[in-house]
Amino acid sequence: MESGTPPAALEEHLVSCVQHSLSLYLFENAAFLCERLVAQFPSEANLFLLATCYHRSNQSYRAYHLLKGLGGEQCRYLYALCAMQLGKLTEAETALLPDNDASRVPNGGAGFYLLGRIHQLSNRHSAAIAYYSTALQLDPLLWSAYEELCGLGADQEALTYLNTAAATASSSSTAPSSARLFTRYGVGSGAAGIADVGASSPPPAGDGQHGGTAAAGCLPTPATSMQPLATPSLAAQQQQQQQQQRGGLFVSPSGPAPMSTAGTRGGLGAMFSWMDSGRQRGAAPHTAAGSTGMRSSDGGSSATPSTGPSYLTPSPGGRFSAPPPHVQKVGGAAAAQQGMLSAYPAADTPQPLPVTTGGSLAWPGGGGDGGRQQQQQQQQQQARKFVDEGKLRKVSNKLFADPASVLKELRWGGGDNPHGGGGGAAACTTAEAAGSLSDVAAVHGVPRGLTSEEGQREALLLLHALGEGYRQLCMYRCQEAIDTWSRLPPQHYQTGWVLCCVGRASFEMVDYPEAAKAFSWARQVDPYRLKGLEVYSTVLWHCKREVDLAHLAQAATSLDRQSPHTWCIMGNCFSLQKEHETALRYFQRALQLDPTLPYAYTLAGHEYFANEDFEKGITCYRNAIRIDTRHYNAWFGMGHIYYRQEKYGMAEYHFRRALTINHRSSVLRCYLGMALHKLKRNPEALEMLGQAIAADPRNPLAKFERAAVLMAEERYRDALAELHALKDIAPREASVLFHMGKIYKKLDMLDEAMACFANALDLQPPSADTNLIKSAIDKLRVPDEEEEEEI
Amino acid sequence: MKLVASLQPDTSSREIGSMAVWSVTSAKPGNGVELLRDGRDDTYWQSDGAQPHLVNVAFQKKVHLSEVAIYTDFKLDESYTPTKISIRVGNTFSDLREVRLIEMSEPQGWLVVRLPSEEEPETCLKGFMLQVAVLANHQSGRDTHLRQVRVFGPRCDPAKTLGHEVGFTSPQFATYSAVR
C-alpha cells in the first residue's frame, strides 16, 4: 500500500495511471483514481486533472464546479469551456479574460476562439469577428474560427486571413524541404511511421530500438527522422514499437511560429507545455526508451540533439510573454542538418513532446526536476478538433507518444531545459503543468504528428482552397464557391464536408436536381454523416420526392436520434405529407436538442405559416434571426407572412433585408417585385421583376408576375408576350392559359381567348379552377366591366 | 355524410376547433364541455336540460368551414345517443341558418358531415359561428352524450395566396414559389 511508498512517488504514479486511463478512454476509471489522487494531494494540477476526467465523461457541470476560482491557465480554459456548455457565458468570459486583460487569454488561438464563440452567442458580433480574427492570426489552422467568421458575414476578415495563409503557404521557408513531410508515428517502426503524406523520406532512422539508445535512437537518424508533420495524422497507426519517440510531436499550428513569417504573428501562439510527467517517473512503466531518441528533429535545433520537435515556450507568465522563441528554432531546425525539418516552432531546446501515457503531464507536483520546463501543451491541438454544432469538445489531442518515448523525453528533460523563451522551466507552475493534459498520449500505436513549417504550408494550402470556397458560399456567391471547390484534388472533393457544401451551394442557387445529386454522393461517400443533411431534406421536399425523403428520415433516425438534424429531416418528411402538426412537433424536438440551430426555427415558422398561425410563425422567424442575423430564409419567411397578411410595407422591408444578405436570389427579387406591385409602385416592381428574370431565367413565377403587372398597367401586348414565353417554359400550366385568355378577351380577340380557355380546361386543373374557367368562358361574350378581378 | 370508425388525416383540411370558443346549453357536473374536446373517445359530454341541446362553436374571425365530425357510440350510450342532429351556421346567435339535418340510427363511430351544400360542392361555408343541435335521441331519451366533436376548414394552398385565381400545378412553379 501506499504507506510504504514515499508520497511523491505515489502522486506521480497515480497521475500516470490516470493519464493512462484517459488515453485509453476509460474515463470512469480515471475519475476514480483521480479522486483518490486529489484526496491525498489536493493541488491545482490534480484538480485540473480531475476536472478533465469529468469533462471527458460528459459531466461538465462537475468540472465546472470543481474549477471555479482556480487561476491557472489551463484551469481557466477548461472552466470556460464547461461554463459555455452549461450556458453561463459571462462566467466563461471572465475566466478567459480576467480583468479584461487580453494578454492572459489561455491557450492562444483556442482561447480567442472561445471568446469569439461567447461573443457570438451573446450577440456581440463585431467583437466576435475581432476575436476570431485574432484566433486565426495565432493559429492559422483553427478552422472552426474561420468557419464562424464566414458565418458572421465577415468577408473582409476572411479574405485577409486567406491572403495571409496563401502568402505563408507560398513563402518558402527556411526549412529545407527536401524532406517531405511525413508523419512519424509514435510507434513507427523503422519505417516508421512515415506515414506519409506523400513524403517519401526514408524512414526515420533510428527506429527501432526502443530501448533506447538515446542517441542512437535519437533522431539522428535524422535522415529523415522526423519530418514533423504539421498535422498529425492519425492515419495509420503502426503497431510497431515505436522507437524513438517521435519527438514530441507537437503540432502546433500556432501561427506564430511557423514559417518564416512566424515572427510576424503574434507570438502567442506557441505556448507549449510539455508535460513532462514522465520525466520524473523515471523508470516506471515506460520502458526506457532510451533517450531521447525522440528527439529527432532537429538536428537543426541548435541546442540539443534535440529530439523531436520540441516546442517550447515556456511561458512563464502570460502566454504572451515570450515571443516565440521558436523563431530561432525555425531557423535552426530548418537547418535540418539532417535534413530534418525542425519541428515547427522548433524550440531551441528540444523539448520532446512528452506526451505519453504515463507521463505526459508533467506534474510539478512530482517535484519534478527542477529543470524541466513545462510547457503548455498547445491547446490548439485540441482546439482544432472542436466539434461542430456549437459544442466544443476537446478531442484528444494529437500528441500521442509511446510511453517509451515519453519516458525518453522525460529523460531528456532533465538536463536541458533552458530554452529560450522563457526558461520557463522552473517557472511553470503546477497549474501550467497540469495544463497540458495531453493525456491521450502515449497509447501504443497511436500516431503523433510533428509540426513543421512545410507541414504548415501544405496544410494552409489545403485549407486555403477549402476556405475560399466556404467564404464564397457564406456570401452566397454560390457559383464561385462551386468552381473553387471543383478545383480541389479528387480525394478531397469526395469527402462528406465538401460534397455537402457543394450541395448547399446548388440549393442556394435553386438548382435542386444538382443539389440532390451532390448530397446523395455525399451520403455514399460518408453514410454516417448527419450534419448538413437537413438541407438535403429540404431539397427533396422541393422536388417532392416523398420516397427518397422518407428513406432519408428512416436512415437518419436509425443513425442518431439525439441529433437535431435528424429531427429536422423527419419534420420535413412529414411536412411533405402535409401533416403539419406532426412536423411541428419534430422541429420542436430538434430545437430542444439544440436551441441554437436557426434552421430548425425557420422550418417551424414555415409550418406555422402553413397552418395559418401567423403570430407563432413570426415568433419563430424572429428567434431564427436572433440566433443568426444572416439567415435569409427567416427574413423571407417574415416577409412572406406579412405579404399574406397584406401588410405590404413590412413585407417589402423584410424582402429587402433578405436580399441584402443573398443578393443573387431570383425568388427573393420576385417576391420583392410582387410586394412593390401591391404597393402600387409598378415601375419599380417591373424593374425588380426584370432583375429577377435576369438573375435566373428559369424562374417562371417572375415572368408570370411581370405579366400580371403589365396587365394591371394595361400593357396587354407586352403581357401577352411574356405569357407566350412562359407557355414555352411551363406548357402544362393552366393558369398561364387562363390569363392569356383574359388578355385576349380584353384585346377583343375572342376566338383566341376561347381557344386558350379551352386549352386550359383540357389540362384538367383542379375542380375549383375548372369552374372558374368555365365561368370565364360563359362570360366571354359579356363585356368586362363588372368582372374586373384584380389579381 | 358518412360514418367511419376512425378519422383519417386529411391533407386538404385542417382542424380549426382550437380557434373557437365552445359552449353548451347545459351540462352535468363532471361531464362538461371540455370533455367534448379532450381527444378521447371514452369521455363524453352529457347534457342536463331540455331539448334541443346545443353546442355552440364561436370563432373570433370569419372562417371557412368544410366539415364537422361527431363521435357517438350507441352500444355504450343507448338512449343517450342522438338520432336527429341539425347543423347550423351563421354569424351570431340570431343569425344561424340550418345547413344540414341528419338522421342517424344506432351510430357507432365518427359521423363526418360535409358542410357545403350539394349544389355547390366546391365552395365552403363561411361564418363566425357553428351550432350543433341535438334534436332527438334514441328511445326518446331526454339527455344526450356526445363523445367528440371536431370542426374542419379547408387548407389553403400557398400558391393561391399569391393572389391568382387559378393555382399553379406544375413543378417548375412549385420550386420557385417560395424559399424554404
Side-chain angles (χ1 to χ4, degrees):
Chain A
M1 308 279 293
E2 286 104 50
S3 48
T5 57
L10 169 65
E11 182 174 359
E12 299 277 339
H13 191 83
L14 276 180
V15 170
S16 153
C17 292
V18 170
Q19 289 285 10
H20 187 69
S21 288
L22 281 176
S23 64
L24 292 177
Y25 316 104
L26 299 174
F27 302 129
E28 297 284 330
N29 188 33
F32 179 80
L33 289 176
C34 207
E35 284 170 3
R36 303 307 112 218
L37 171 70
V38 166
Q40 178 112 16
F41 307 99
S43 69
E44 200 167 308
N46 297 341
L47 280 175
F48 174 73
L49 191 59
L50 182 58
T52 309
C53 297
Y54 288 145
H55 180 77
R56 297 282 164 95
S57 25
N58 271 334
Q59 295 174 3
S60 299
Y61 54 96
R62 286 180 89 175
Y64 165 81
H65 287 286
L66 200 61
L67 291 172
K68 223 176 213 182
L70 296 186
E73 296 257 347
Q74 299 299 328
C75 294
R76 282 190 291 125
Y77 183 81
L78 184 57
Y79 174 72
L81 202 63
C82 296
M84 278 177 71
Q85 281 179 352
L86 296 173
K88 302 189 200 277
L89 297 178
T90 39
E91 300 182 22
E93 189 178 349
T94 333
L96 287 171
L97 210 54
D99 308 321
N100 271 341
D101 184 4
S103 65
R104 293 188 57 200
V105 174
N107 290 330
F112 280 103
Y113 169 70
L114 283 190
L115 276 171
R117 280 293 295 162
I118 292 174
H119 285 261
Q120 184 180 7
L121 287 172
S122 45
N123 268 325
R124 291 174 279 173
H125 292 303
S126 43
I129 292 177
Y131 281 121
Y132 287 135
S133 304
T134 320
L136 282 172
Q137 280 172 0
L138 295 178
D139 179 3
L141 288 184
L142 193 56
W143 172 260
S144 302
Y146 178 73
E147 238 180 353
E148 300 290 347
L149 195 61
C150 289
L152 284 174
D155 201 26
Q156 278 310 97
E157 287 83 350
L159 194 56
T160 319
Y161 161 72
L162 283 177
N163 289 340
T164 329
T168 322
S170 54
S171 72
S172 61
S173 108
T174 57
S177 13
S178 44
R180 313 283 308 155
L181 301 166
F182 62 85
T183 2
R184 272 286 293 210
Y185 287 173
V187 275
S189 36
I194 296 206
D196 140 293
V197 171
S200 42
S201 42
D207 42 308
Q209 328 33 341
H210 189 67
T213 41
C218 269
L219 306 205
T221 42
T224 42
S225 352
M226 326 251 204
Q227 306 261 353
L229 184 57
T231 46
S233 54
L234 292 180
Q237 294 191 29
Q238 321 243 338
Q239 232 354 292
Q240 299 105 16
Q241 286 303 349
Q242 73 155 250
Q243 52 285 344
Q244 50 233 94
Q245 40 259 339
R246 3 217 65 226
L249 302 180
F250 199 59
V251 183
S252 69
S254 41
M259 345 235 168
S260 29
T261 55
T264 50
R265 298 235 199 159
L268 297 190
M271 307 275 252
F272 305 117
S273 52
W274 291 109
M275 308 283 191
D276 303 14
S277 44
R279 286 240 218 121
Q280 286 108 342
R281 301 276 164 147
H286 316 293
T287 47
S291 38
T292 44
M294 299 232 281
R295 309 324 160 154
S296 60
S297 58
D298 80 316
S301 140
S302 36
T304 50
S306 57
T307 41
S310 27
Y311 294 108
L312 38 136
T313 57
S315 44
R319 300 269 337 200
F320 297 48
S321 49
H326 40 267
V327 180
Q328 74 230 51
K329 298 331 172 319
V330 168
Q337 270 103 20
Q338 279 124 30
M340 283 214 304
L341 283 178
S342 55
Y344 184 73
D348 39 8
T349 35
Q351 314 246 319
L353 233 220
V355 185
T356 48
T357 43
S360 36
L361 292 184
W363 292 108
D369 333 20
R372 104 180 111 106
Q373 41 255 31
Q374 331 237 354
Q375 281 132 20
Q376 304 238 340
Q377 159 132 22
Q378 183 57 283
Q379 286 298 348
Q380 288 169 1
Q381 305 304 56
Q382 301 169 339
R384 222 170 329 166
K385 287 295 212 95
F386 278 118
V387 174
D388 48 78
E389 288 167 78
K391 299 200 182 77
L392 306 174
R393 266 180 254 142
K394 271 197 275 202
V395 162
S396 57
N397 63 54
K398 303 332 203 16
L399 311 175
F400 300 135
D402 182 81
S405 60
V406 175
L407 185 56
K408 286 188 248 160
E409 299 256 334
L410 302 183
R411 283 267 151 258
W412 158 92
D416 359 272
N417 325 317
H419 60 146
C428 298
T429 58
T430 54
E432 303 305 286
S436 8
L437 193 51
S438 19
D439 49 8
V440 227
V443 178
H444 194 72
V446 175
R448 297 171 47 173
L450 274 186
T451 58
S452 71
E453 290 172 20
E454 181 153 343
Q456 177 88 348
R457 274 205 309 277
E458 302 275 327
L460 281 177
L461 262 178
L462 179 65
L463 287 191
H464 183 270
L466 295 169
E468 176 68 17
Y470 192 75
R471 183 179 72 92
Q472 307 281 23
L473 177 62
C474 283
M475 301 307 291
Y476 295 104
R477 295 187 283 257
C478 304
Q479 191 56 52
E480 288 89 330
I482 296 184
D483 294 335
T484 311
W485 280 320
S486 60
R487 292 195 289 265
L488 279 176
Q491 70 268 20
H492 281 290
Y493 187 77
Q494 291 169 21
T495 50
W497 187 86
V498 176
L499 286 171
C500 280
C501 283
V502 169
R504 190 172 149 223
S506 301
F507 164 75
E508 302 289 356
M509 291 199 299
V510 196
D511 188 357
Y512 299 129
E514 279 302 314
K517 274 200 287 197
F519 277 115
S520 67
W521 190 4
R523 288 212 67 226
Q524 274 173 0
V525 161
D526 190 353
Y528 306 108
R529 184 193 162 96
L530 279 180
K531 184 168 190 225
L533 284 192
E534 68 273 9
V535 182
Y536 185 29
S537 70
T538 307
V539 170
L540 292 175
W541 185 96
H542 271 287
C543 299
K544 306 232 184 306
R545 283 161 58 171
E546 299 172 352
V547 177
D548 293 331
L549 186 48
H551 175 65
L552 180 67
Q554 236 345 345
T557 37
S558 65
L559 273 182
D560 185 7
R561 293 180 78 93
Q562 301 290 328
S563 156
H565 306 284
T566 306
W567 296 111
C568 288
I569 298 172
M570 285 286 281
N572 263 333
C573 179
F574 278 87
S575 168
L576 187 58
Q577 307 291 330
K578 305 253 187 276
E579 294 193 31
H580 296 287
E581 286 82 14
T582 324
L584 254 180
R585 272 219 318 273
Y586 288 137
F587 291 134
Q588 274 153 6
R589 214 180 272 192
L591 282 170
Q592 279 177 338
L593 286 168
D594 181 7
T596 59
L597 188 61
Y599 196 47
Y601 274 116
T602 308
L603 289 172
H606 291 316
E607 296 307 309
Y608 280 124
F609 176 79
N611 269 343
E612 304 197 20
D613 195 347
F614 299 132
E615 291 77 30
K616 293 217 189 92
I618 296 255
T619 316
C620 279
Y621 290 134
R622 290 227 169 94
N623 277 328
I625 290 174
R626 173 180 54 85
I627 296 174
D628 179 9
T629 332
R630 299 197 79 241
H631 198 67
Y632 77 95
N633 313 53
W635 285 107
F636 169 81
M638 289 192 10
H640 201 189
I641 288 189
Y642 286 125
Y643 184 88
R644 177 76 197 284
Q645 291 178 321
E646 303 192 1
K647 298 180 188 167
Y648 298 118
M650 297 283 282
E652 182 205 345
Y653 169 74
H654 286 94
F655 289 140
R656 278 196 199 276
R657 281 297 295 260
L659 259 181
T660 55
I661 299 170
N662 180 359
H663 45 262
R664 291 192 186 175
S665 166
S666 166
V667 181
L668 289 176
R669 279 193 203 271
C670 176
Y671 269 87
L672 182 54
M674 286 155 62
L676 287 169
H677 170 54
K678 296 284 186 190
L679 287 171
K680 308 270 185 280
R681 283 147 61 176
N682 287 342
E684 297 172 40
L686 279 174
E687 193 196 319
M688 195 58 65
L689 289 168
Q691 287 173 5
I693 297 173
D696 188 352
R698 297 167 301 172
N699 186 351
L701 188 62
K703 291 205 167 76
F704 187 83
E705 290 296 330
R706 203 175 146 90
V709 176
L710 289 169
M711 266 178 78
E713 297 217 313
E714 306 201 347
R715 286 160 57 177
Y716 295 121
R717 300 277 167 191
D718 302 328
L720 207 51
E722 290 274 357
L723 286 176
H724 270 295
L726 195 51
K727 196 165 70 121
D728 297 332
I729 298 180
R732 302 197 58 78
E733 193 58 62
S735 79
V736 173
L737 289 164
F738 177 72
H739 284 281
M740 278 171 68
K742 285 175 61 179
I743 296 181
Y744 279 128
K745 182 172 169 210
K746 285 239 165 33
L747 291 175
D748 225 12
M749 293 155 70
L750 297 180
D751 297 326
E752 287 87 346
M754 188 59 161
C756 285
F757 288 137
N759 286 340
L761 273 181
D762 283 341
L763 291 174
Q764 296 184 328
S767 46
D769 303 335
T770 315
N771 289 348
L772 218 63
I773 299 175
K774 282 187 187 151
S775 65
I777 292 180
D778 293 337
K779 298 203 199 116
L780 202 53
R781 305 287 159 183
V782 175
D784 250 349
E785 334 56 80
E786 68 282 7
E787 52 143 339
E788 237 303 296
E789 308 117 320
E790 236 329 292
I791 294 184
Chain B
M1 150 186 141
K2 49 190 192 304
L3 207 61
V4 291
S6 67
L7 279 184
Q8 298 306 318
D10 185 4
T11 59
S12 64
S13 64
R14 60 188 191 102
E15 220 250 320
I16 50 177
S18 48
M19 287 168 29
V21 175
W22 293 70
S23 56
V24 290
T25 45
S26 59
K28 176 172 162 238
N31 291 89
V33 64
E34 63 275 7
L35 300 181
L36 207 52
R37 297 288 300 162
D38 59 356
R40 297 178 53 173
D41 297 340
D42 50 350
T43 58
Y44 51 81
W45 160 66
Q46 175 169 335
S47 63
D48 194 17
Q51 286 179 356
H53 307 295
L54 308 172
V55 178
N56 303 307
V57 186
F59 295 92
Q60 280 144 350
K61 58 175 188 168
K62 203 166 205 176
V63 295
H64 293 255
L65 301 160
S66 63
E67 284 176 352
V68 175
I70 303 171
Y71 187 87
T72 50
D73 192 337
F74 178 74
K75 290 219 172 39
L76 297 178
D77 295 329
E78 296 191 356
S79 68
Y80 286 93
T81 318
T83 47
K84 220 193 286 181
I85 293 186
S86 161
I87 303 202
R88 305 151 180 185
V89 173
N91 294 328
T92 60
F93 278 108
S94 52
D95 192 4
L96 294 172
R97 171 179 73 86
E98 181 178 284
V99 291
R100 294 291 271 241
L101 182 65
I102 303 154
E103 307 244 359
M104 332 193 271
S105 164
E106 302 193 6
Q108 185 171 18
W110 286 97
L111 176 76
V112 179
V113 183
R114 287 196 47 85
L115 287 181
S117 56
E118 308 298 346
E119 56 273 9
E120 279 192 350
E122 295 316 320
T123 58
C124 283
L125 289 179
K126 292 197 281 195
F128 278 92
M129 200 161 192
L130 177 103
Q131 189 179 70
V132 177
V134 176
L135 303 175
N137 292 325
H138 281 78
Q139 300 155 15
S140 308
R142 187 181 82 128
D143 287 322
T144 185
H145 284 176
L146 284 184
R147 291 182 174 255
Q148 283 194 66
V149 176
R150 297 211 185 136
V151 182
F152 293 91
R155 199 183 274 289
C156 75
D157 179 12
K160 278 277 176 69
T161 69
L162 296 177
H164 307 280
E165 299 106 15
V166 180
F168 296 132
T169 52
S170 65
Q172 292 97 321
F173 271 91
T175 51
Y176 281 92
S177 64
V179 168
R180 184 165 174 91

